[in-house]
Amino acid sequence: MKTIHSRYILIVLLCISVHAIGQKRQAIPEVEALLKKMTLEEKIGQLNLLTPGGGVATGSVVSKNVEEKIKAGNVGGLFGVSGPDKIRQAQEIAVKNTRLGIPLLIGSDIIHGYKTTFPIPLGLSSSWDMKLIEKTAQIAAQESTADGINWNFSPMVDIARDPRWGRIAEGAGEDPYLGSQIAKAMVEGYQQDDLTAENTMIATVKHFALYGASEGGRDYNTTDMSRVKMFNEYLPPYKSAIDAGAESVMSSFNDVDGVPASGNKWLLTTLLRDRWGFDGFVVSDYTSVNEMIAHGMGDLQAVSALSINAGLDMDMVGEGFLTTLKKSVEEGKVTEETITNACRRILEAKHRLGLFEDPYKYSDSKRPQRDILTDANKVVAREAARKSFVLLKNENNTLPLAKNAKIALVGPLANSKNNMLGTWAPTGDPQLSIPILEGLKNVAPDAQITYTKGANISNDSAFAKKVNVFGPRIEISQESPEALLAEALAAANNADVVVAVVGEATEMSGEAGSRTDITIPESQKHLIRELVKTGKPVVLVLMSGRPLVITEEMDLAVSILQVWHPGIEAGNAVADVVFGDYNPSGKLTASWPRNVGQIPVYHSMKNTGRPAPGPEFEKFKSQYLDSPNAPLLPFGYGLSYTSFEYGNLSLAKKEINQGESLEVQVDVTNTGDRDGEEVVQLYLHDIVRSITPPVRTLKGFEKVFLKKGETKTVTLTLEADDLKFYNGALDFVAEPGEFEIFVGGNSNASLKGTFTLN
Ligand code: NOJ
């Protein structure tokens, strides 16, 4: 009995540890054989990632003497180079001129499409359409591999709850559940379960970890949070990407628990490899190893040793590994085994791509013509753009407009190719994008459109200079602001309706694009106010890379269509929605605050011991004196040209046991007079648990199409894991007790059900 018992325990322990370390893959004999032949210097060379410059620089320094370094066996990969011929040349230098002929990884930032640029990721996430998001990633891989690239620095899955942070544009917003689904869709889109195919590439989940929680929303700033918050609210999307098979992870610029991510052993080894079972390779962010000197972690040798010992495998641009690791080995600060392990992971990635078999597999000069910017890809770009738009307001059903309407098209973003692609689209060509004016004319040739600029994006030339580092995004006209305004007002007075295309230039968000004031710039606010005074209905087509504070504009405008930065097909997609060829269906994936003082504000906040009362003020409650607690626009919010009603919420069971799932059904009816899509959302509230629960948190959704008048019964399944959370010991558990669920079209959903977990 005793032996059976201990054997049983052994098996259980074994199962638990296999589960904890994931399915580690077998050693690759070719890689092991190669490692045996390599000198220490050759191994260190593989850990060095360089960018020769020439394209758009994505950091403040570029690498020098790249060709000589490749020949010397000092380079494992390049990024910022593209084109099959150039990549062939680079591979030839590596393969023919080095002792072991090891091919290079060729990386790039393909964040929302390669040449066919899709909407910015925050926009894409607003589609809540996982198949579509996967498709955009798959097209990005098809196009960029045709141009020689085999390794993508995407998806960016950082949870962001501070819209001051410019990089909120690059991710999927505030929610870990939705963020996890999107992370998975993107990894599957890039890697397609077969890295050896010529049109798939390595996905890199970034920025590991917590980069989106930088204090004050200032880019690169420090982050600090409890482990339970980290595990429950910030880490799930990274884990989801890794579970989906992402081959690579990029460490972030920020520190975690006081140690910069690039040198944080708990993060890169204990959590990532030991707990999650990741067995791909970790690359630093751009010079983030060297930047640990400024963080206060020591000199270049010290920070490089700290990084490699923490579990970082590849050093992006900084060359600290290349220049100091040998010395650290000699001085006993780093073992050769550590270096061999890092090198092994990089060689394994090259092997998985099939580069040892054929270093030139991404160098087919016929592919760009065949695979890039195809008509089919542009169709997806248009579809993705219009599905990313969120209708924020539509008084009197002002939208859609008639195709023969007399329109004053106004605004600095109405005819601006330079601002359509959005941040982080260095591989796209802004000149190929369709501006709004052109799109409206394409879709409604009979409309009478008068275009005037009306205002500059900003009148502040010092601000414009900062925004224009990658090209002219804010162009301040020679004409005076008064003259611009006068032209716009004349056009407005002569039209039936005003369509004002306003908001942020592309580089007002994105990396190093943080703002403390997230309103529409004053020059444009003035334009909007004056347009409204004409008495003509004013429709705003709003562009931005973040949630904006639009409290004033929500009152002023009759309709507001949020279009983010829509990508290459911008104008056509906007026109599809403005004229009603497509009924908008996007929903916000980050709450829009009333004012900056509310930040952070997100749907899954906690209750506090003194929750805010109803509308009547009460002293000693958790509230502001000068603003409601609720955001202006909640997570999950978005209107349609039709309307939807929810009813007959039913739960398959009133009680479930641990490990069981629960089916939830609801009837959704299209009660308006147009066909349309609705994102049906399910929120969960765990009433009592050992860690204070959020008031509600997203745990399911489905996007459904309903013909006018149609009712569909939608089934959402709460999986056993959806009831779980990380408790104080960081165990992933579901605790017995009562749960509430809410189902509806946004995070304020009021249709409620309850069940008990035994
Ligand atoms: C810095 C950014 O943080 C990262 O997202 C990007 O992949 C690298 N630069 C390389 O361009």
Side-chain angles (χ1 to χ4, degrees):
M1 191 64 189
K2 205 170 162 218
T3 9
I4 294 174
H5 186 67
S6 53
R7 200 177 290 159
Y8 172 76
I9 290 174
L10 194 76
I11 292 170
V12 170
L13 282 177
L14 223 78
C15 293
I16 291 170
S17 67
V18 166
H19 179 74
I21 58 168
Q23 293 299 314
K24 284 240 196 284
R25 291 169 288 193
Q26 305 262 309
I28 300 172
E30 294 91 319
V31 168
E32 296 307 313
L34 183 56
L35 280 169
K36 290 212 174 79
K37 291 188 213 152
M38 293 176 81
T39 62
L40 176 64
E41 287 85 346
E42 283 166 332
K43 288 178 195 167
I44 293 172
Q46 286 301 306
L47 317 186
N48 193 25
L49 174 64
L50 297 183
T51 185
V56 175
T58 61
S60 48
V61 289
V62 289
S63 318
K64 299 200 179 65
N65 306 326
V66 174
E67 185 168 341
E68 287 93 283
K69 285 175 186 158
I70 300 176
K71 286 182 181 160
N74 284 338
V75 182
L78 294 180
F79 71 103
V81 210
S82 59
D85 299 335
K86 272 201 197 152
I87 303 298
R88 178 177 288 275
Q89 274 170 27
Q91 294 291 21
E92 271 177 1
I93 300 172
V95 170
K96 296 190 178 156
N97 293 279
T98 60
R99 187 176 78 93
L100 296 168
I102 301 173
L104 300 162
L105 287 173
I106 305 291
S108 189
D109 289 276
I110 322 294
I111 308 299
H112 48 115
Y114 185 61
K115 300 273 184 206
T116 303
T117 310
F118 301 109
I120 56 164
L122 186 62
L124 269 180
S125 71
S126 308
S127 72
W128 297 60
D129 185 334
M130 298 308 114
K131 286 213 173 75
L132 177 73
I133 292 172
E134 182 180 338
K135 182 75 189 161
T136 63
Q138 182 258 312
I139 290 173
Q142 174 201 331
E143 292 198 353
S144 50
T145 54
D147 231 7
I149 295 153
N150 52 41
W151 172 26
N152 196 358
F153 304 153
S154 171
M156 186 282 214
V157 306
D158 306 317
I159 292 297
R161 293 172 171 182
D162 191 333
R164 291 173 296 182
W165 190 51
R167 301 196 81 171
I168 194 172
E170 284 178 57
E174 73 182 36
D175 182 64
Y177 179 87
L178 179 65
S180 297
Q181 315 279 323
I182 292 178
K184 176 174 186 285
M186 292 187 75
V187 170
E188 289 173 352
Y190 296 136
Q191 297 194 165
Q192 292 289 311
D193 244 355
D194 179 13
L195 277 182
T196 60
E198 64 163 18
N199 61 355
T200 60
M201 68 201 312
I202 288 179
T204 306
V205 55
K206 70 186 190 186
H207 307 80
F208 194 62
L210 319 183
Y211 183 36
S214 59
E215 282 184 2
R218 177 158 55 79
D219 209 0
Y220 317 122
N221 202 4
T222 194
T223 61
D224 201 2
M225 70 174 71
S226 68
R227 288 277 160 96
V228 280
K229 189 175 181 82
M230 206 186 275
F231 272 72
N232 285 303
E233 301 173 37
Y234 280 77
L235 294 178
Y238 307 107
K239 181 167 188 305
S240 166
I242 286 157
D243 290 345
E247 281 290 337
S248 144
V249 168
M250 186 185 291
S251 65
S252 54
F253 286 121
N254 56 286
D255 59 346
V256 173
D257 292 335
V259 181
S262 302
N264 192 315
K265 187 164 189 171
W266 175 79
L267 197 64
L268 302 185
T269 299
T270 310
L271 177 66
L272 183 64
R273 297 197 185 279
D274 299 346
R275 183 162 177 150
W276 290 356
F278 175 69
D279 68 353
F281 70 101
V282 182
V283 63
S284 76
D285 203 341
Y286 209 108
T287 58
S288 67
V289 174
N290 312 51
E291 288 170 24
M292 285 197 284
I293 303 170
H295 275 282
M297 305 301 291
D299 62 12
L300 187 59
Q301 185 185 352
V303 295
S304 302
L306 185 70
S307 276
I308 191 114
N309 285 332
L312 191 113
D313 303 311
M314 200 170 206
D315 178 7
M316 188 191 287
V317 181
E319 300 189 44
F321 280 14
L322 187 72
T323 53
T324 70
L325 282 186
K326 187 165 177 237
K327 187 158 179 261
S328 289
V329 172
E330 285 159 4
E331 292 172 0
K333 293 175 178 152
V334 172
T335 65
E336 179 156 1
E337 191 193 355
T338 301
I339 288 170
T340 305
N341 287 340
C343 181
R344 172 182 294 112
R345 293 179 194 126
I346 288 157
L347 297 180
E348 284 179 345
K350 294 180 177 182
H351 188 273
R352 289 188 183 114
L353 284 168
L355 283 174
F356 287 111
E357 229 165 86
D358 178 7
Y360 310 110
K361 61 181 287 200
Y362 304 97
S363 302
D364 175 353
S365 50
K366 289 192 219 82
R367 275 194 64 197
Q369 170 75 10
R370 195 186 72 204
D371 284 349
I372 296 179
L373 281 172
T374 64
D375 289 346
N377 293 356
K378 286 191 201 156
V379 168
V380 179
R382 184 166 178 167
E383 175 79 354
R386 57 196 206 169
K387 284 194 158 180
S388 74
F389 301 162
V390 187
L391 185 63
L392 302 180
K393 180 178 180 187
N394 198 21
E395 216 171 82
N396 309 327
N397 292 329
T398 306
L399 287 177
L401 303 180
K403 283 192 176 165
N404 59 2
K406 202 168 178 200
I407 302 170
L409 178 69
V410 179
L413 291 161
N415 192 23
S416 171
K417 285 185 182 238
N418 285 333
N419 284 298
M420 296 303 100
L421 300 188
T423 187
W424 256 127
T427 50
D429 179 354
Q431 295 318 308
L432 298 179
S433 65
I434 311 279
I436 311 308
L437 173 61
E438 189 180 328
L440 295 185
K441 286 184 178 164
N442 288 344
V443 170
D446 294 336
Q448 297 169 61
I449 303 174
T450 311
Y451 160 70
T452 61
K453 181 172 171 182
N456 297 310
I457 293 177
S458 162
N459 290 335
D460 179 345
S461 54
F463 179 72
K465 201 168 162 210
K466 295 183 200 163
V467 172
N468 290 349
V469 280
F470 296 146
R473 306 293 190 245
I474 299 182
E475 292 179 274
I476 300 182
S477 293
Q478 296 296 316
E479 263 178 286
S480 68
E482 295 73 24
L484 291 174
L485 179 64
E487 281 166 15
L489 295 181
N493 281 320
N494 202 25
D496 300 334
V497 59
V498 179
V499 174
V501 190
V502 293
E504 292 189 312
T506 64
E507 297 321 319
M508 283 170 66
S509 63
E511 187 171 351
S514 297
R515 298 177 66 203
T516 59
D517 174 358
I518 56 170
T519 55
I520 298 169
E522 186 52 37
S523 53
Q524 300 179 71
K525 278 171 101 52
H526 181 60
L527 170 67
I528 296 165
R529 288 183 202 118
E530 295 302 311
L531 287 169
V532 169
K533 284 186 198 157
T534 65
K536 298 293 166 97
V538 175
V539 172
L540 299 187
V541 171
L542 186 56
M543 290 190 185
S544 69
R546 55 159 58 82
L548 295 172
V549 167
I550 54 163
T551 316
E552 182 184 0
E553 290 74 23
M554 276 299 271
D555 283 338
L556 289 179
V558 289
S559 302
I560 305 182
L561 181 69
Q562 168 64 17
V563 302
W564 316 105
H565 292 117
I568 190 167
E569 285 288 313
N572 289 334
V574 166
D576 286 342
V577 174
V578 163
F579 293 115
D581 288 351
Y582 181 74
N583 183 356
S585 63
K587 301 273 189 173
L588 299 177
T589 58
S591 308
W592 283 42
R594 287 170 203 273
N595 49 60
V596 164
Q598 280 188 320
I599 295 169
V601 58
Y602 48 95
H603 79 279
S604 53
M605 295 191 86
K606 295 185 174 183
N607 218 12
T608 82
R610 295 183 175 191
E616 292 307 311
F617 174 77
E618 277 178 45
K619 189 73 180 160
F620 306 120
K621 298 290 180 187
S622 181
Q623 62 196 340
Y624 298 105
L625 293 176
D626 56 355
S627 168
N629 286 2
L632 183 69
L633 300 168
F635 176 84
Y637 171 85
L639 304 173
S640 161
Y641 293 156
T642 185
S643 47
F644 300 99
E645 261 177 38
Y646 287 74
N648 296 332
L649 178 66
S650 73
L651 282 62
K653 291 181 190 169
K654 272 299 199 188
E655 285 188 18
I656 59 169
N657 296 320
Q658 288 277 352
E660 282 180 6
S661 59
L662 176 66
E663 280 196 354
V664 176
Q665 290 196 325
V666 67
D667 288 346
V668 187
T669 305
N670 179 342
T671 50
D673 58 4
R674 272 171 189 272
D675 301 348
E677 289 154 287
E678 168 72 334
V679 181
V680 180
Q681 301 159 44
L682 184 154
Y683 295 87
L684 184 75
H685 178 206
D686 188 349
I687 299 173
V688 176
R689 68 181 208 192
S690 57
I691 296 286
T692 51
V695 283
R696 56 177 65 184
T697 187
L698 182 75
K699 286 297 175 190
F701 62 89
E702 187 160 327
K703 192 162 187 171
V704 288
F705 174 82
L706 294 167
K707 290 199 153 304
K708 59 179 171 189
E710 189 185 7
T711 298
K712 269 188 188 160
T713 301
V714 177
T715 305
L716 298 161
T717 305
L718 264 174
E719 301 295 346
D721 274 2
D722 295 332
L723 306 186
K724 292 187 179 168
F725 66 99
Y726 291 91
N727 66 13
L730 301 181
D731 295 325
F732 193 47
V733 296
E735 292 176 354
E738 292 272 309
F739 288 78
E740 289 174 335
I741 58 161
F742 301 89
V743 177
N746 66 58
S747 57
N748 287 340
S750 54
L751 202 56
K752 183 172 149 186
T754 54
F755 68 93
T756 305
L757 173 70
N758 293 320

